[in-house]
Amino acid sequence: MANHIKIPHDTYVKDKLKKNLYAFINHESFSGILIFFCVIFAMLIANSQFSHTYFEFQELKIGVFWGESQYGMTILHAINDVAMSLFFLMIGLETKREILYGELVGFKKIAFPVLGAIGGIIMPIVIYLAFNHDTPSAGGFGVAMSTDTAFALGAILLLGKRVPLSLKIFLVTLAVIDDLGAILVIVFFYTSSLNAFWLVIAGIIIAILLYYNYQDKHRLAAYLILGIFLWIAIYNSGIHATIAAVIVAFSIPGRSNVSDHYLTNLKNELNKIDILIKNGSNFFETHIQKQQKNIFKEWIYDLGNFFKSDQNLTKKFNIKEQSKRAQILDSISKYSAYAQNPLIQVQTFLHPVCSYFVIPVFAFVNAGVKLDSNIDFSLDHIFLGTVLGLVLGKPIGILLFVLIGEKCKIATKPKDLTYAHIFATSCLAGIGFTMSIFVANLAYNNQNAINLAKISILYASSIALIVGISALYLSTKPTKNQDTQELAESTPQKP
């Protein structure tokens, strides 16, 4: 058998994670463009003769209905609470991956985007509350603090190779921490009442998940089943259920389970294939001899052989040999699957699902707002607080906090990034579509405020997009470096 080059496991994991990050960037970039068209489509339908159908679709109930008993929810509710849990699961996995292997390894490295994210959360809240303190809409401060990763990366995609990969990674890291901050705000500020019984159930499930993680168990089915029960428990406890997805994400093991025992067994199975080949067997051959080239004649030949009593007929299929080969392949498959990194497995599955389905559907269902005279733009200064919070608060907060962090030597700026790059990125961080609308649905108690918040988010995101793209264009120049080549090579090609 051919000699094998031994690749260090740590090197393999880092390369795999690096390619996974590139795939994430590609998925999110295309998703941003897809979301844009979904938003436009939703706005067009909401303001057309089909608007009643659009809003009736939002309130359509799905679930199990038996007589007077009903176990279900509206489509809007299902998308915002159930489908979006997949998105938060992906965000949680992305955060854990960055902490374990990526750009957040090491205190000073993690401090730079963390400080930027904190600044990008605090400053918009301050600006929003400056306009809306002591009003019924003060609780909507969370609307002005969130970054839409997909939209922001989709905007960066417009400039192609002008944008260095390190800038994209900085934006991803910033947005992931920003989203995590938004989740914590949802848990602590948008939870109205708590059910002690369900909180205890949730605590027990979390303890089991932590035990599984401590024992380094790699059966994904166990984590996902427990995750479903955790979602149900937290949903009934009164806390927003999406936090369940983040907890599950952090409990899923982030490293491969490769042991000497399994590597030895895998080597033994491969040696069996080597022995068969050396003995002259074709391991993947399923027929000993091809009697007829014509299929019809072969059927007639087989039928004739079936009715013959001659026991010395040559068998076309040796079931004993095929069974032996099937067992070898089954063992190799089992050992290979066991050695895979669970975190990467789930991420690889979730990236396209969230980027091409969950987020675009969320955008379509939530972005449709009927533009008529019923929208009160002076309602508690929601419009000014949201727009200025996203457009001004984000870049001011991010720049101020990373600058303080670097000057105080508690954070390290990536070498190939300038503050012009960071300013442009912080402007794009003002695109707050997905999470901002998600928070708006929780923060306000009346539909007029929700509709005004959505209009404010769309307006602010449009300004942030224009300013951010312009600043990024002026701060970059066309280059073709190694990172962009690697990114192109990692992009899936059409067959």
Side-chain angles (χ1 to χ4, degrees):
M1 217 173 173
N3 292 330
H4 294 280
I5 299 175
K6 187 175 181 180
I7 301 175
H9 177 253
D10 291 343
T11 302
Y12 170 76
V13 169
K14 289 179 181 178
D15 289 344
K16 185 76 174 175
L17 289 166
K18 191 175 182 181
K19 290 181 180 179
N20 202 45
L21 177 60
Y22 293 161
F24 173 80
I25 290 173
N26 280 294
H27 285 312
E28 290 293 287
S29 298
F30 180 79
S31 177
I33 298 172
L34 185 59
I35 290 172
F36 174 77
F37 286 106
C38 288
V39 171
I40 298 299
F41 190 41
M43 290 295 292
L44 289 174
I45 292 180
N47 292 278
S48 70
Q49 58 181 336
F50 303 105
S51 61
H52 64 283
T53 305
Y54 175 80
F55 293 109
E56 286 175 0
F57 173 75
Q58 290 180 336
E59 299 303 318
L60 184 66
K61 285 194 173 182
I62 56 175
V64 178
F65 306 97
W66 186 267
E68 295 183 357
S69 301
Q70 298 184 2
Y71 302 95
M73 56 184 66
T74 64
I75 285 181
L76 182 64
H77 193 184
I79 291 171
N80 290 352
D81 283 4
V82 180
M84 283 295 285
S85 292
L86 296 176
F87 170 73
F88 285 101
L89 177 59
M90 185 185 73
I91 291 297
L93 291 170
E94 188 67 24
T95 305
K96 181 173 181 177
R97 186 190 66 104
E98 288 296 311
I99 291 173
L100 291 177
Y101 306 109
E103 295 300 308
L104 302 184
V105 175
F107 177 77
K108 288 192 175 182
K109 282 188 176 181
I110 192 175
F112 195 78
V114 166
L115 286 173
I118 293 173
I121 290 173
I122 293 176
M123 194 58 67
I125 291 176
V126 170
I127 292 176
Y128 181 90
L129 291 178
F131 286 93
N132 291 279
H133 68 283
D134 295 330
T135 71
S137 300
F141 63 86
V143 175
M145 54 162 276
S146 304
T147 297
D148 191 298
T149 314
F151 249 137
L153 279 171
I156 282 182
L157 184 67
L158 297 174
L159 295 183
K161 295 175 182 178
R162 293 182 67 96
V163 182
L165 181 62
S166 57
L167 187 60
K168 297 177 184 179
I169 295 175
F170 173 74
L171 177 59
V172 169
T173 307
L174 184 77
V176 165
I177 299 170
D178 188 285
D179 286 340
L180 194 59
I183 293 168
L184 294 176
V185 168
I186 290 170
V187 171
F188 290 110
F189 295 97
Y190 298 127
T191 298
S192 55
S193 60
L194 296 175
N195 185 305
F197 171 77
W198 285 106
L199 278 177
V200 172
I201 298 298
I204 293 172
I205 296 173
I206 292 172
I208 296 173
L209 284 168
L210 292 176
Y211 174 77
Y212 267 46
N213 181 273
Y214 176 76
Q215 292 293 320
D216 207 22
K217 295 184 181 295
H218 283 61
R219 293 188 179 277
L220 278 176
Y223 290 97
L224 298 179
I225 291 171
L226 285 170
I228 292 172
F229 285 115
L230 179 62
W231 188 95
I232 294 171
I234 291 181
Y235 176 81
N236 286 287
S237 72
I239 300 174
H240 201 272
T242 50
I243 190 63
V246 179
I247 294 171
V248 173
F250 275 86
S251 70
I252 293 176
R255 64 184 181 86
S256 300
N257 189 23
V258 182
S259 65
D260 291 340
H261 171 71
Y262 277 90
L263 286 175
T264 301
N265 289 342
L266 182 59
K267 181 181 178 181
N268 291 337
E269 298 299 328
L270 293 174
N271 284 337
K272 291 178 183 179
I273 298 177
D274 190 31
I275 292 170
L276 285 172
I277 293 174
K278 286 180 178 178
N279 290 335
S281 298
N282 184 345
F283 183 79
F284 298 101
E285 181 61 62
T286 57
H287 293 79
I288 292 179
Q289 185 178 358
K290 194 78 171 177
Q291 298 286 352
Q292 301 287 342
K293 293 184 178 180
N294 185 287
I295 294 178
F296 179 74
K297 290 182 178 180
E298 187 174 350
W299 286 350
I300 298 297
Y301 177 83
D302 290 340
L303 188 62
N305 283 342
F306 177 77
F307 289 103
K308 288 181 179 180
S309 58
D310 188 355
Q311 298 300 317
N312 296 320
L313 288 171
T314 303
K315 295 180 180 179
K316 291 184 62 182
F317 190 82
N318 190 325
I319 189 64
K320 184 178 180 180
E321 287 298 319
Q322 294 306 311
S323 177
K324 184 190 299 183
R325 296 173 187 184
Q327 289 176 6
I328 293 173
L329 292 174
D330 184 64
S331 298
I332 291 174
S333 175
K334 181 181 70 175
Y335 298 141
S336 300
Y338 191 78
Q340 291 183 24
N341 187 313
L343 186 149
I344 293 178
Q345 281 183 280
V346 181
Q347 265 194 310
T348 302
F349 172 78
L350 285 179
H351 280 166
V353 172
C354 291
S355 299
Y356 304 147
F357 177 72
V358 173
I359 301 303
V361 169
F362 172 86
F364 173 74
V365 173
N366 285 275
V369 178
K370 195 171 182 63
L371 300 175
D372 53 27
S373 57
N374 293 329
I375 297 179
D376 182 8
F377 282 91
S378 63
L379 179 62
D380 294 341
H381 303 294
I382 292 176
F383 183 80
L384 275 177
T386 302
V387 173
L388 294 180
L390 287 171
V391 175
L392 294 181
K394 277 290 183 182
I396 292 174
I398 292 172
L399 273 174
L400 182 62
F401 274 62
V402 297
L403 186 60
I404 291 174
E406 189 179 29
K407 293 298 181 183
C408 294
K409 297 183 178 180
I410 59 175
T412 302
K413 179 174 66 67
K415 294 180 180 180
D416 54 345
L417 291 187
T418 66
Y419 274 99
H421 289 148
I422 295 170
F423 170 73
T425 307
S426 64
C427 290
L428 289 174
I431 302 175
F433 182 78
T434 304
M435 284 298 295
S436 292
I437 289 181
F438 187 84
V439 172
N441 289 324
L442 301 173
Y444 300 110
N445 297 321
N446 64 84
Q447 193 60 44
N448 290 333
I450 293 174
N451 288 340
L452 178 57
K454 289 180 180 179
I455 293 295
S456 305
I457 293 164
L458 292 173
Y459 186 76
S461 298
S462 300
I463 296 174
L465 173 65
I466 295 170
V467 175
I469 286 293
S470 301
L472 197 59
Y473 182 84
L474 294 174
S475 63
T476 57
K477 57 183 179 180
T479 57
K480 186 175 182 180
N481 54 30
Q482 184 179 357
D483 285 335
T484 53
Q485 289 177 359
E486 290 178 357
L487 180 58
E489 290 173 357
S490 66
T491 305
Q493 301 295 323
K494 294 182 179 180

